[in-house]
Amino acid sequence: MKIYSTLSGKKEEFAPSGGEVKIYVCGVTPYSDAHIGHAMSYVIFDVIRRYLRYKKYTVKYVQNVTDIDDKIIDRANQLGIAPSELAKKYTDSYFEDMENLNIVKAEGDVYPLATEEIPKIIEVIQGLIDKGHAYPAGGSVYFRVRSAPDYGKLSHRSPDDMRAAECTIGSGEKEDAMDFVLWKATKPGEPYWESPWGQGRPGWHIECSAMSLKYLGDTLDIHGGGQDLIFPHHENEIAQSESFTGKKPFVKYWLHNGLVQLGGDKMSKSLGNLITIKEALKKYSADALRIFILSSHYRSPLTYSEEGLEAAQNAGERLLRVVSRDDPAGGKGEALNAESYRKQFIEAMDDDFNTARALAVLFDLASAINQACDAGVSIGEARNTLVSLGREVLGLRLRHVIITPPPAELTITTYAPDVIIGANPTPELEERVTRLVEERLNCRQEKNWQRADEIRNKLAELGVDLEDTPQGTKRVWRRTPSVEALDKLIAELDISL
Ligand SMILES: [Zn+2]
């Protein structure tokens, strides 16, 4: 297996340092809802983790939450709430988004919060001071960049180039304009922690060094993040970690994903062109978003477009339809052999996680299954291969999702599993649709066919088809209805939630 490392600038044979693959990916600063750029990065590193596990590697994964930062403090001040309250709200929102995107949180994975790791952060800063790599000044502590002779090796810049580009605005406390802050002295009204240098809070870069050291040790196999983090964030992490441990390399393979663009610009908060994950999931399924992201190489920029997502949505529905087909031969007689497809899929993934090629192989397999099915050839095994690669490695749900069973007090006695094609049924939506299904069943029992049909037709208009099956009512979620539209329908029908 070959993977491209930003440090060497080429594809290298993957050889992890020990029994388990240690992965660290920079996490979010929770001050607003996560957007498509976050979705891209975390879906990609989710697929990388899934693939390594598929190849029987043991993976240990750590991803931080920067729950104290200038951005959090500024936003909380604007809203007149405590920074910790804001951070908690958006940390929860982030993990909810990740769950909706089917991003695995495996047992043993760690998601540490910066505010809960202050002792380790102080320990690393003190160690850097003791070794002459850092110095306190005016209640803050700075990293002495000149003390790390190979600073710039990741971003392939020399200190003098960086120095020339460096803006010299600063507190005037620094020995050198390039030096960066490890510990920030507190300002009035800000949250702070006690430290040997006075009250203050950690800088962003030191958090990642401290947390990776604490949970993964001195050397990581893979460190990931967006390309916008290469400089200065990851360059600073290398300088801090290698100076603290005295061991090189801090990271064996540096992986950086391309950035999401919208109409030629980077998608970013400052440009005001963000599309949040929540917004996208109202229109498209998680499978569609994953297919869209994985259709291009992870190192390339990804241009967000409605057309691209529509196409991904259709592609996801195509796969789901193939997965739903019955085996015409019932597993007997001639069978479609999918082994060559599986091999091509693995080859693509082994080549620096070429998910675009792997997905193309999956769609070829889907076409082959359709053809075999039409010809009366058994597809059972081939379909299993498709499902296993799609689900286990690419993290597609690809299934008739069974959502939470309806509450016991409902009058529905039988209930068929839901089919989700192009929708994202949240518990809020599900509750409302369940209520409408229940009302329809009541109407049928009372032989009020007109009202029962009205409910079915109105729900179909909103994107949810109801099918009566021997197992009960089956809900086919073709599109995500809005809560407002469902509430309006419920009010029109004069039923209570
Ligand atoms: Zn980081």
Side-chain angles (χ1 to χ4, degrees), residues 154-166:
L154 181 71
S155 50
H156 309 290
R157 310 174 190 211
S158 78
D160 290 314
D161 292 347
M162 286 180 273
R163 184 169 212 198
E166 182 72 35

Side-chain angles (χ1 to χ4, degrees), residues 388-465:
S388 135
L389 296 174
R391 277 194 201 147
E392 277 177 63
V393 181
L394 301 182
L396 303 174
R397 287 198 173 96
L398 281 190
R399 66 178 161 215
H400 303 307
V401 179
I402 300 170
I403 319 185
T404 14
E409 64 269 24
L410 290 188
T411 53
I412 306 165
T413 48
T414 50
Y415 213 83
D418 279 15
V419 176
I420 299 179
I421 297 179
N424 177 46
T426 61
E428 272 182 303
L429 295 171
E430 208 211 324
E431 185 196 357
R432 287 164 171 78
V433 171
T434 300
R435 186 67 193 83
L436 288 160
V437 170
E438 182 204 28
E439 180 64 18
R440 174 170 171 266
L441 289 182
N442 287 340
C443 293
R444 284 166 64 97
Q445 265 168 8
E446 291 160 9
K447 301 203 180 341
N448 186 348
W449 309 115
Q450 197 189 338
R451 187 169 154 95
D453 285 348
E454 187 191 347
I455 293 173
R456 172 148 77 176
N457 295 340
K458 289 267 169 68
L459 266 177
E461 276 169 31
L462 296 176
V464 184
D465 294 338

Side-chain angles (χ1 to χ4, degrees), residues 73-313:
I73 296 171
D74 291 349
R75 182 94 204 279
N77 286 344
Q78 282 166 19
L79 298 172
I81 58 172
S84 57
E85 190 186 328
L86 184 83
K88 170 83 171 71
K89 176 182 169 188
Y90 287 110
T91 302
D92 291 348
S93 158
Y94 168 78
F95 283 113
E96 188 186 299
D97 290 344
M98 295 300 108
E99 209 173 306
N100 287 333
L101 288 173
N102 202 24
I103 285 172
V104 280
K105 219 173 172 184
E107 204 178 318
D109 290 352
V110 191
Y111 293 83
L113 306 179
T115 54
E116 292 178 0
E117 305 291 343
I118 305 291
K120 183 70 189 175
I121 293 170
I122 289 177
E123 179 198 322
V124 176
I125 297 175
Q126 188 59 56
L128 288 168
I129 295 174
D130 295 344
K131 290 176 181 162
H133 292 292
Y135 56 92
S140 296
V141 180
Y142 296 96
F143 186 87
R144 189 175 276 130
V145 170
R146 291 279 166 190
S147 76
D150 52 4
Y151 187 83
K153 64 184 169 184
L154 181 71
S155 50
H156 309 290
R157 310 174 190 211
S158 78
D160 290 314
D161 292 347
M162 286 180 273
R163 184 169 212 198
E166 182 72 35
C167 171
T168 48
I169 304 166
S171 57
E173 291 166 347
K174 295 197 273 185
E175 291 175 1
D176 191 308
M178 275 197 315
D179 294 350
F180 57 87
V181 74
L182 300 175
W183 185 263
K184 292 183 181 182
T186 189
K187 287 188 216 136
E190 286 184 356
Y192 61 82
W193 287 262
E194 299 294 339
S195 83
W197 319 286
Q199 294 170 339
R201 58 190 166 95
W204 169 39
H205 312 302
I206 195 67
E207 262 177 52
C208 289
S209 283
M211 294 189 198
S212 61
L213 271 163
K214 177 170 171 184
Y215 294 101
L216 296 169
D218 295 349
T219 307
L220 317 182
D221 294 300
I222 293 176
H223 192 314
Q227 282 165 355
D228 51 345
L229 297 184
I230 297 174
F231 185 83
H233 184 56
H234 289 162
E235 199 72 73
N236 292 353
E237 277 190 40
I238 295 179
Q240 295 164 159
S241 295
E242 294 185 352
S243 300
F244 179 78
T245 64
K247 287 182 201 160
K248 290 177 191 191
F250 161 47
V251 172
K252 288 190 79 172
Y253 309 95
W254 279 96
L255 271 62
H256 291 102
N257 63 270
L259 305 177
V260 175
Q261 311 208 321
L262 190 71
D265 292 317
K266 181 192 155 185
M267 193 180 273
S268 76
K269 185 109 190 138
S270 48
L271 289 174
N273 60 358
L274 288 184
I275 293 167
T276 67
I277 295 172
K278 286 182 175 55
E279 280 165 351
L281 284 178
K282 276 183 192 158
K283 286 169 100 172
Y284 307 104
S285 65
D287 278 6
L289 267 171
R290 292 183 81 107
I291 289 171
F292 176 69
I293 290 165
L294 299 172
S295 294
S296 55
H297 195 275
Y298 76 88
R299 281 189 279 117
S300 312
L302 178 69
T303 301
Y304 183 92
S305 74
E306 297 286 327
E307 301 80 56
L309 271 153
E310 294 284 348
Q313 180 95 337

